[in-house]
Amino acid sequence: MPENEPPAWGYTLYIPNDLRAVTVARRTLRLILTMHGLIRLTDTAELLAAELVSNAVRHTKGPAALRVRRSAGVLRIGAWDADPEPPEPPGELDLLREAEEGRGLALVKACADLWGWQPLARHGSRGKYVWCELAAA
């Protein structure tokens, strides 16, 4: 790690399957980024986290988690949920402007530097992790 690079850090916020968790996740993320001197990323990071957590809560039946990590100049925001099914591929944002639903991952794709998903299996539980990254350097 270069001398000027801040140490890596990470947080996980476990949330119930409740739409109010989206607001809790956004406010928690804002506090984390402010405390780590990354306030310039908060608006975009909050939007991304809200879309990821909202999808995890709205489209699954179990608990979820918001994960936030910073390492090597990259901020990674992700949402875990208990459903192993892959997320629907994002559509083209221009075509979804008037749609009432289905814009979440299109916004993530448009606003993040990189995004993806991966299946997870741990201690007999299955699920997925949908993540995105922002340059934090």
Side-chain angles (χ1 to χ4, degrees), residues 6-118:
W9 50 261
Y11 297 86
T12 302
L13 174 66
Y14 292 95
I15 55 178
N17 190 286
D18 183 332
L19 281 176
R20 292 174 290 195
V22 177
T23 301
V24 172
R26 286 180 71 141
R27 290 183 179 168
T28 302
L29 176 62
R30 178 170 285 274
L31 179 60
I32 290 167
L33 295 179
T34 300
M35 297 304 295
H36 284 282
L38 296 172
I39 196 155
R40 70 189 183 286
L41 298 177
T42 55
D43 291 339
T44 302
E46 275 189 277
L47 171 69
L48 296 170
E51 294 302 335
L52 296 176
V53 171
S54 177
N55 283 348
V57 173
R58 290 179 71 210
H59 300 294
T60 67
K61 292 182 169 82
L66 171 68
R67 295 180 181 166
V68 183
R69 305 236 185 287
R70 185 191 191 284
S71 179
V74 174
L75 180 70
R76 179 176 274 204
I77 302 163
W80 167 85
D81 65 57
D83 184 357
E85 291 299 313
E88 291 289 325
E92 291 300 319
L93 194 55
D94 288 341
L95 301 176
L96 296 169
R97 287 193 193 276
E98 302 301 319
E100 292 194 22
E101 291 187 354
R103 293 188 307 251
L105 283 180
L107 280 170
V108 171
K109 180 181 173 185
C111 295
D113 296 321
L114 189 63
W115 83 276
W117 79 278
Q118 61 197 61

